[in-house]
Amino acid sequence: MENMLTIRVIADVWERHLMTMRTIEHLHMFSIALMLSIMIGVSVGVFIYMRPKTADPVLNFLNIVETIPDLALIVLLLPILKLGAGPTIAACVLYSILPVARNTYTGLKGVDEQYTYVAHAIGLSPREALFKVRIPMSLPLIAGGIRIALVFCMGVVTLGGLVAAGGLGTVLQNGIQLYQKDAILVAGIWTGLLAVILDGFAGIIEKKLHERYGTW
Amino acid sequence: MQTERLFERIDSIHLEGITKKYGHGFAVKDLDLEIQGGELLILIGPSGSGKTTALRMINRMIEQDAGTVTINGINTKDADPVRLRRNMGYVIQNIGLFPHMTIGENIGLVPKLEGWDKERIKERVRTLLEFVSLPPDMFMDRYPRQLSGGQQQRVGLARAMAMDPPLFLMDEPFGALDPILRKQLQKEFLKIKNEINRTIVFVTHDIEEALVLGDRIAIMNQGELVQVGPPEELIFNPANELVADIVDTQRKFKHMDTLKVKDLMSPFDEKYVLEGRTETCDAVDVMTERDLETAFVFEGERLIGQVTMVELMKCRTRSQKLSDVARPVKIFQPTDSVAFALSEMKSTGEYLAIVMNSNDPIGILISDEVLLKLI
């Protein structure tokens, strides 16, 4: 069983491919991408909610972006953003805006009219009603969107290895080019594990939000 | 955002030529109405009569198509709606407490937006909860879904009072509650009303409620004002058939002597029964769950008395049993005369009595309700 993953093999691969550094790079890109996605996605969701006429065109456009294969999108962004983390982060954000924006929009629309009515009737301005009532009450759905974005981002960040973005994708890429099965396995499993852990974490937060803010 | 108060007290509110179109018809048509400072004015009428629309035009939740609303001479059109609404307490039937905020946060929301500091808000919330008979320590940190309908409505009232507004707008606030709970809250509300001495515009479709609470009653029909005046005037000088019908004047010819308790009692329900060995703290939960303000305590088949939510929430010592705290309750036979029952109840100041057929509880007699059925 020469290919078996012993602790030794893992430690060896980990050291040779600088996987601590790669993991940090990976999570660094990932967190920047996710933060941007949340900020832009929530803003877009609120915007199309406030201007309902824009909702369909914007969501349709984001749907089209979604259909571009991820690798193609990264390559398309290369001439604009050059090599490095830029195109990868941009691709992550472009993919993740849709789930976040769509869930924000659906969440805001789904808030029972009676609460908005009461909010206005007791003297909240439209802005206060949005921030104190509608957005908090949509948090469980927004969190659901963010969770989808999180999984998207994990996948796209890994692809970044192909365009010299760094991160764990680089280890996989090297493993493939040098035909090192151990490296491919270790990096692959580790990347998958990270995604599962982060998703699980997001799932817990989502559940907490549901208990706290959910009314259904 | 801190807003300056538009008015400290209400001298008068004038609705002049108010019209609101609704499709091809009118929700409110050319309505003239004066509300005097300090009075409780009831708006009543069949559904679709425009009473709620009229109410909502006072705080600009609905904008009129024609006519003006002036408060102390200020045209509401010239006032900032947010400022206007923060100067009015608003209570509606479905209450609309925000489910993601605790009771304390719900009540303190507008004060917080007005920039009050934490301590002041907390102090205010405590005062208000005390005022509506909900012990603050027990309720401040609960969420609305953990409260019974009656408790939620009290919180709704407390929220409306948060900014100490000189004017209250109430849209069928007790409409969703069961009759006995409604009576209890009306009774408390009357007490509160007398204490705070504010101007109140109150929409209802329940004439009994209108007669109990209203200083003046405005009867509306198909978007128009039919008659406005104190309850006696409507009863003795109804402007037309509709008014007579609504206040049901024929009833005053009924002879009290010929009526029996069983004719006017409300049916008994198992939910009013609590066991004598139940601990008071547990009883509060049970009553919350069953949405009761008053319950009757039995030991097996034997009736030992009554307990009310407000009393139970005061006695906080564990191990106290309901049988220790139950107060005596008046018992009547279904064949007793109503006149006798009422004078008995009046002598002790009770407003609730139980009707027993030998040993079985079969009904509940509520004094206000009986009187109103007799009018």
Side-chain angles (χ1 to χ4, degrees):
Chain A
M1 295 290 281
E2 50 170 352
N3 281 331
M4 210 172 71
L5 283 176
T6 59
I7 304 278
R8 268 184 66 118
V9 176
I10 296 174
D12 186 45
V13 169
W14 195 277
E15 209 149 298
R16 209 149 23 93
H17 290 275
L18 308 165
M19 275 184 60
T20 308
M21 192 193 85
R22 292 297 181 206
T23 306
I24 293 171
E25 277 174 6
H26 195 85
L27 291 178
H28 183 71
M29 274 192 287
F30 165 79
S31 12
I32 292 177
L34 191 64
M35 282 303 145
L36 286 173
S37 310
I38 294 172
M39 285 192 296
I40 300 174
V42 172
S43 311
V44 171
V46 172
F47 180 87
I48 59 179
Y49 167 74
M50 308 273 268
R51 290 166 188 74
K53 273 188 185 158
T54 62
D56 273 343
V58 170
L59 288 176
N60 283 337
F61 171 74
L62 290 172
N63 260 320
I64 292 171
V65 174
E66 210 74 7
T67 58
I68 306 174
D70 34 16
L71 197 51
L73 188 60
I74 294 180
V75 174
L76 278 174
L77 288 166
L78 267 179
I80 312 167
L81 296 166
K82 311 289 181 247
L83 280 177
T88 307
I89 291 176
C92 280
V93 174
L94 282 173
Y95 273 122
S96 308
I97 290 174
L98 179 69
V100 179
R102 189 182 46 206
N103 275 34
T104 305
Y105 174 70
T106 316
L108 289 173
K109 266 184 67 151
V111 173
D112 194 331
E113 271 306 314
Q114 65 156 322
Y115 297 116
T116 327
Y117 176 80
V118 169
H120 289 138
I122 65 172
L124 269 64
S125 65
R127 194 187 147 82
E128 288 162 345
L130 180 68
F131 283 102
K132 295 283 172 188
V133 178
R134 281 192 187 259
I135 291 184
M137 289 184 73
S138 340
L139 278 183
L141 258 181
I142 298 179
I146 293 174
R147 202 174 155 191
I148 300 171
L150 180 147
V151 177
F152 278 6
C153 278
M154 266 318 222
V156 178
V157 165
T158 312
L159 269 183
L162 291 177
V163 289
L168 292 166
T170 310
V171 183
L172 279 172
Q173 175 73 2
N174 291 343
I176 293 166
Q177 277 171 3
L178 304 171
Y179 198 63
Q180 291 178 352
K181 274 191 233 161
D182 292 346
I184 298 173
L185 265 179
V186 172
I189 292 173
W190 175 231
T191 315
L193 207 61
L194 268 182
V196 171
I197 292 169
L198 285 169
D199 181 56
F201 202 63
I204 293 170
I205 294 176
E206 191 187 352
K207 192 161 164 265
K208 288 263 179 268
L209 285 172
H210 246 293
E211 285 163 9
R212 173 84 170 73
Y213 294 103
T215 49
W216 47 86
Chain B
M1 170 177 63
Q2 201 162 351
T3 53
E4 198 190 327
R5 282 170 84 90
L6 274 177
F7 29 77
E8 286 301 325
R9 54 184 296 259
I10 301 290
D11 298 321
S12 67
I13 300 172
H14 284 274
L15 277 62
E16 282 167 56
I18 293 292
T19 297
K20 178 73 193 174
K21 291 198 187 84
Y22 184 73
H24 289 295
F26 290 93
V28 172
K29 194 176 176 186
D30 202 17
L31 173 72
D32 290 312
L33 185 63
E34 190 199 343
I35 299 151
Q36 294 147 11
E39 77 169 340
L40 192 154
L41 180 92
I42 301 268
L43 287 171
I44 192 171
S47 57
S49 60
K51 53 191 192 298
T52 298
T53 309
L55 182 84
R56 289 180 180 184
M57 284 190 284
I58 297 176
N59 68 354
R60 290 186 59 186
M61 284 304 287
I62 294 179
E63 302 275 0
Q64 66 269 22
D65 296 324
T68 54
V69 178
T70 50
I71 302 176
N72 292 356
I74 303 169
N75 188 337
T76 54
K77 282 261 190 226
D78 300 332
D80 169 38
V82 170
R83 222 172 122 190
L84 189 71
R85 289 169 197 155
R86 285 191 187 177
N87 236 228
M88 302 176 183
Y90 190 73
V91 186
I92 48 169
Q93 180 174 339
N94 49 13
I95 317 166
L97 296 179
F98 300 123
H100 60 289
M101 297 182 192
T102 62
I103 300 311
E105 288 166 345
N106 263 291
I107 298 174
L109 178 59
V110 174
K112 191 175 160 195
L113 295 174
E114 285 281 324
W116 292 24
D117 62 60
K118 275 206 173 102
E119 275 312 302
R120 188 172 167 210
I121 295 174
K122 211 170 162 191
E123 203 46 51
R124 183 76 185 141
V125 169
R126 297 188 77 89
T127 314
L128 289 169
L129 281 174
E130 295 275 3
F131 196 69
V132 294
S133 308
L134 296 172
D137 293 321
M138 203 164 159
F139 285 95
M140 253 170 66
D141 299 323
R142 289 199 189 177
Y143 285 94
R145 63 175 173 275
Q146 295 168 298
L147 269 58
S148 73
Q151 290 167 341
Q152 287 191 26
Q153 197 49 274
R154 286 159 196 261
V155 177
L157 196 58
R159 176 174 67 183
M161 288 161 51
M163 295 303 295
D164 198 15
L167 172 66
F168 285 87
L169 304 179
M170 310 188 83
D171 192 354
E172 304 206 25
F174 309 130
L177 307 173
D178 78 65
I180 293 176
L181 192 59
R182 188 153 72 214
K183 288 290 170 298
Q184 172 114 26
L185 282 183
Q186 280 168 6
K187 200 170 147 236
E188 279 182 39
F189 176 67
L190 212 54
K191 204 179 78 198
I192 292 174
K193 179 206 145 194
N194 294 334
E195 274 177 51
I196 60 176
N197 189 28
R198 294 294 145 84
T199 311
I200 301 167
V201 186
F202 193 110
V203 167
T204 181
H205 64 259
D206 177 359
I207 185 65
E208 302 184 4
E209 188 166 79
L211 293 171
V212 173
L213 299 177
D215 294 322
R216 287 197 308 149
I217 299 174
I219 295 187
M220 290 187 67
N221 188 35
Q222 295 180 337
E224 290 179 80
L225 183 66
V226 183
Q227 187 176 7
V228 56
E232 311 84 69
E233 193 184 312
L234 300 186
I235 292 170
F236 296 115
N237 291 312
N240 61 20
E241 277 292 303
L242 178 91
V243 177
D245 207 33
I246 288 177
V247 298
D248 207 354
T249 39
Q250 292 91 330
R251 279 188 187 168
K252 71 183 165 196
F253 301 116
K254 280 181 189 163
H255 264 291
M256 221 161 139
D257 303 340
T258 62
L259 284 171
K260 302 291 180 207
V261 165
K262 64 175 192 297
D263 299 325
L264 293 175
M265 70 187 188
S266 312
F268 194 80
D269 190 303
E270 274 302 311
K271 74 173 183 175
Y272 296 114
V273 175
L274 287 179
E275 277 293 323
R277 60 171 186 279
T278 314
E279 285 181 7
T280 51
C281 298
D282 297 335
V284 171
D285 294 336
V286 176
M287 288 174 75
T288 302
E289 199 179 299
R290 296 186 191 167
D291 217 351
L292 295 181
E293 286 297 324
T294 301
F296 298 103
V297 182
F298 284 78
E299 242 161 21
E301 292 285 287
R302 198 167 60 89
L303 172 70
I304 50 177
Q306 60 173 331
V307 287
T308 64
M309 188 70 132
V310 177
E311 289 163 358
L312 287 184
M313 287 189 303
K314 279 181 198 144
C315 37
R316 302 303 318 278
T317 42
R318 280 261 160 210
S319 81
Q320 211 170 14
K321 305 248 181 288
L322 288 184
S323 48
D324 305 329
V325 297
R327 286 188 298 110
V329 56
K330 287 251 180 280
I331 303 170
F332 296 110
Q333 303 296 318
T335 49
D336 284 340
S337 95
V338 165
F340 165 74
L342 281 182
S343 64
E344 278 287 299
M345 286 166 81
K346 202 181 165 209
S347 67
T348 52
E350 295 286 339
Y351 76 101
L352 209 63
I354 192 164
V355 183
M356 305 276 271
N357 196 357
S358 65
N359 267 335
D360 291 331
I362 54 164
I364 294 172
L365 200 63
I366 309 160
S367 58
D368 290 357
E369 200 171 44
V370 171
L371 277 174
L372 285 162
K373 281 181 183 165
L374 286 171
I375 292 173

